[in-house]
């Protein structure tokens, strides 16, 4: 029972960080979409599908994520991790939630739109770093990338580039928004996540260590309340 209690708080902290990361990442994605200056390749595809077939951007994110999870499971012959499934579901829900906010609008000036785009890119990168740092499982697209890397023997960078170009081409054919934001995302997101992931790992490790320390301190305080300074139990 003591072992379970000791593991419960770190487990809770990791999943809390995971959902915080998804919430922040989705906000960054939504900012980039609303800036209307081009989005990340996968979002170009989701928006293109929305333009051509209706539904919502978040719904298409979930549908594509579901197809990717299915393909990854078929390639690896393994059931998907809970983190991949929850990532697929909640990112789509969060994106639609942000985009439906009445005050969340495209800026009137180009300068303001560029600022929104830059903010979205940085926030997106921070959210990615946070959810990865939680170590609760890779998202659908990253899971597929790893599966293809294992099956083909190619480098991760080459597989990732192929996936991004393939998806971007499909989104462009569907009239998705390919513009400045798309280029900025492709050339900078790796560096941004590289920095934020290191920072977020330190935060997550601190919170986990703190949660265990607080639990031990609380048990120590309760013990002292019922014992004297010599270790004898007080009635």
């Amino acid at each position: 029972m003591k072992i379970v209690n000791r593991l419960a708080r770190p487990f809770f902290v990791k999943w809390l960080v995971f959902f915080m990361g998804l919430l922040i990442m989705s906000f960054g994605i939504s900012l980039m979409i609303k800036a209307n200056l081009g989005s990340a390749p996968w979002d170009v595809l989701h928006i293109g599908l929305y333009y051509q077939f209706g539904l919502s951007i978040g719904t298409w994110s979930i549908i594509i994520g579901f197809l990717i999870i299915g393909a990854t499971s078929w390639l690896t012959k393994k059931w998907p991790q809970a983190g991949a499934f929850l990532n697929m579901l909640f990112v789509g829900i969060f994106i639609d939630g942000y985009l439906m906010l009445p005050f969340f609008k495209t800026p009137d000036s180009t300068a303001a739109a560029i600022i929104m785009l830059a903010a979205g890119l940085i926030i997106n990168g921070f959210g990615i770093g946070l959810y990865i740092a939680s170590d609760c499982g890779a998202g659908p697209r990253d899971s597929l990338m790893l599966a293809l890397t294992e099956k083909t023997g190619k480098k991760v960078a080459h597989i990732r580039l192929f996936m991004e170009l393939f998806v971007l081409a499909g989104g462009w054919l569907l009239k998705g928004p390919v513009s400045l934001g798309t280029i900025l995302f492709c050339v900078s997101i790796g560096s941004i996540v590289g920095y934020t992931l290191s920072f977020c790992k330190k935060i997550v490790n601190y919170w986990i260590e703190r949660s265990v320390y607080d639990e031990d301190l609380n048990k120590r305080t309760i013990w002292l309340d019922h014992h004297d300074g010599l270790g004898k139990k007080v009635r």
Side-chain angles (χ1 to χ4, degrees):
M1 183 62 70
K2 289 183 179 180
I3 295 176
V4 173
N5 289 337
R6 189 174 182 83
L7 293 176
R9 287 196 178 188
F11 178 84
F12 174 78
V13 169
K14 289 176 67 174
W15 281 102
L16 178 62
V17 170
F18 175 79
F19 281 105
M20 287 175 57
L22 297 187
L23 196 63
I24 293 171
M25 179 179 69
S26 302
F27 181 56
I29 292 171
S30 302
L31 283 173
M32 292 183 66
I33 291 173
K34 278 296 183 180
N36 200 27
L37 292 175
S39 296
W42 285 98
D43 297 314
V44 170
L45 176 62
H46 302 151
I47 296 169
L49 289 166
Y50 161 69
Y51 285 162
Q52 301 301 322
F53 305 105
L55 299 180
S56 69
I57 297 172
T59 299
W60 281 114
S61 176
I62 293 172
I63 292 172
I64 296 299
F66 182 81
L67 294 175
I68 292 172
I69 287 177
T72 304
S73 297
W74 179 75
L75 286 172
T76 61
K77 302 299 186 292
K78 297 178 182 178
W79 288 102
Q81 291 183 312
F85 182 80
L86 293 173
N87 181 306
M88 169 207 73
L89 181 63
F90 281 95
V91 168
I93 293 173
F94 291 155
I95 289 174
D96 278 349
Y98 285 126
L99 295 179
M100 286 190 295
L101 294 174
F103 56 84
F104 204 52
K105 299 179 180 179
T106 301
D108 295 327
S109 68
T110 303
I114 292 175
I115 293 173
M116 177 181 272
L117 173 66
L121 186 57
I122 294 171
I123 292 171
N124 188 359
F126 182 77
I128 293 173
L130 199 58
Y131 104 75
I132 292 177
S134 69
D135 197 26
C136 290
R141 293 150 188 84
D142 292 330
S143 297
L144 178 60
M145 176 189 69
L146 295 174
L148 289 172
T149 300
E150 183 179 347
K151 288 293 182 180
T152 63
K154 302 294 184 182
K155 293 183 178 179
V156 172
H158 294 164
I159 294 295
R160 185 58 182 258
L161 178 61
F162 171 78
M163 288 175 59
E164 297 288 335
L165 290 176
F166 180 80
V167 168
L168 183 60
W172 179 73
L173 291 173
L174 292 168
K175 311 299 182 183
V178 180
S179 188
L180 172 66
T182 311
I183 298 172
L184 287 177
F185 180 90
C186 292
V187 300
S188 65
I189 193 63
S191 299
I192 294 173
V193 173
Y195 175 80
T196 60
L197 181 57
S198 176
F199 176 73
C200 290
K201 281 184 176 179
K202 293 178 182 178
I203 294 177
V204 173
N205 290 336
Y206 172 79
W207 283 348
I208 291 175
E209 291 172 2
R210 186 68 188 181
S211 69
V212 174
Y213 171 78
D214 288 345
E215 184 177 1
D216 290 342
L217 181 62
N218 183 52
K219 290 179 180 178
R220 177 65 177 168
T221 302
I222 293 173
W223 187 88
L224 289 174
D225 287 342
H226 293 83
H227 296 75
D228 61 18
L230 299 176
K232 295 181 179 180
K233 191 170 183 178
V234 180
R235 293 182 180 177

